[in-house]
Amino acid sequence: MSQLHVFDHPLIQHKLSILRDKNTGVKEFRELVGEIAMLMCYEVTRDLPVEEVEIETPVATAKVKRLAGKKMAIVPILRAGLGMVDGMVAMIPSAKVGHIGLYRDPNTLEPVEYYCKLPPDIAERDVIVVDPMFATGGSASAACTFLKEHGCKHIKLMCIIGAPPAWEKMRKDHPDVDAYVAAMDDHLNEHGYIVPGLGDAGDRIFGTK
Ligand code: PRP
Ligand code: URA
């Protein structure tokens, strides 16, 4: 059964408090999304396998641990997920990046797909799907379904703010996918926005409103 992980690290919570503030401008918002992604990445990758190797330090021989070469992919859901990519690849430079373009139909709140470009060997990679907002869960669930259709077997979902309906949907649709969020907010409003949330993540990252 999948698990929901909520990060209560003080650095993440502090940055999130500034991100939520309606007076935070585009530049700072963008930087904070990247920084939070970087901090969350640190925890999301906690279970990566390591192997012991022997090296020579200037002083002696030492047995040390290195990543065991697991192949990874970061898959942002466009647009807003793009804001999290730089922070992730700063931590995992060897990761490939795939893109899935989805937007929510404003009337039905259902995800509509408009773009997809994935690494050719995506089926062999451990995938971390990134998107700042996890509201109805429609976009995240559709992205995971799509990745599974491409053969992916190990998927994690990393979002900044979630809401209960999203987790309900994800655990039902994808009981094999763990979700990681910096906060679980209270509810959705009548337009499907997370309350209190941070507003429209894509518009705030790209300055389109
Ligand atoms: C936002 C957000 C998620 C989605 C979350 O994207 O980035 O992808 O909504 O909502 P859901 O959980 O109800 O699916 P949006 O559709 O606004 O597109 P954008 O990123 O292009 O602005
Ligand atoms: N998408 C957003 O950008 N914000 C929300 O609160 C919900 C979905």
Side-chain angles (χ1 to χ4, degrees), residues 63-78:
K63 284 196 168 72
V64 295
K65 287 175 182 157
R66 285 202 179 142
L67 288 174
K70 205 161 216 5
K71 292 167 98 179
M72 300 197 62
I74 311 301
V75 176
I77 301 178
L78 308 183

Side-chain angles (χ1 to χ4, degrees), residues 154-174:
H154 302 286
I155 304 172
K156 290 177 176 178
L157 172 70
M158 192 180 118
C159 302
I160 297 181
I161 302 182
W167 176 235
E168 280 309 305
K169 180 167 177 59
M170 268 303 286
R171 69 196 304 208
K172 185 158 65 63
D173 293 354
H174 300 286

Side-chain angles (χ1 to χ4, degrees), residues 108-176:
T108 64
L109 300 183
E110 288 295 319
V112 181
E113 189 200 321
Y114 62 89
Y115 185 75
C116 177
K117 185 82 181 171
L118 299 171
D121 60 353
I122 190 77
E124 295 155 34
R125 292 181 176 269
D126 281 11
V127 179
I128 305 176
V129 175
V130 294
D131 190 335
M133 307 309 276
F134 185 41
T136 64
S139 304
S141 177
C144 291
T145 301
F146 198 66
L147 287 163
K148 288 179 181 176
E149 284 166 4
H150 281 76
C152 298
K153 286 167 215 67
H154 302 286
I155 304 172
K156 290 177 176 178
L157 172 70
M158 192 180 118
C159 302
I160 297 181
I161 302 182
W167 176 235
E168 280 309 305
K169 180 167 177 59
M170 268 303 286
R171 69 196 304 208
K172 185 158 65 63
D173 293 354
H174 300 286
D176 54 325

